[in-house]
Amino acid sequence: GACKRALAWERCLEILGDMQRRLGPDAVACKAAVAACEKASAWTSSLVLFKQLCQDEHEDLAAFNSVMSACAAGGQWERSLHLLSEIDQAGLKP
């Protein structure tokens, strides 16, 4: 929450990495980091985190939206459209 509001996405990623090393993957923290990356238009980092969520089968519409927005803001509209098509493949309904 605080990292996202302060747009401190890099620090958010550091904290997430520390948490994952100590406690293992955490979907809620990962989704918060994706949202922080979205606010900073850090599309590459948001994609990496999103792929982690997908591997662990924790993706949801909010995570898809955040990563698509980050990609679009970073001029990666083709990636954003590809992600949009993946929503249906994931069995999610917009």
Side-chain angles (χ1 to χ4, degrees):
C3 287
K4 181 177 155 185
R5 284 190 296 277
L7 302 179
W9 65 276
E10 291 172 320
R11 181 67 182 131
C12 224
L13 295 181
E14 290 173 16
I15 292 168
L16 179 65
D18 289 344
M19 280 181 57
Q20 289 179 334
R21 280 188 291 283
R22 293 178 188 179
L23 306 172
D26 179 80
V28 174
C30 197
K31 289 175 189 178
V34 168
C37 289
E38 171 199 2
K39 300 294 182 196
S41 301
W43 66 271
T44 53
S45 295
S46 69
L47 274 175
V48 169
L49 292 168
F50 185 73
K51 298 262 186 235
Q52 180 181 341
L53 284 171
C54 291
Q55 283 179 330
D56 296 338
E57 299 181 7
H58 291 295
E59 73 274 19
D60 61 13
L61 285 176
F64 267 103
N65 187 51
S66 291
V67 75
M68 286 188 305
S69 293
C71 287
Q76 300 295 314
W77 60 271
E78 292 163 329
R79 289 182 196 268
S80 190
L81 286 176
H82 178 72
L83 287 163
L84 184 60
S85 71
E86 288 183 16
I87 289 174
D88 191 48
Q89 293 173 2
L92 300 172
K93 300 293 179 213

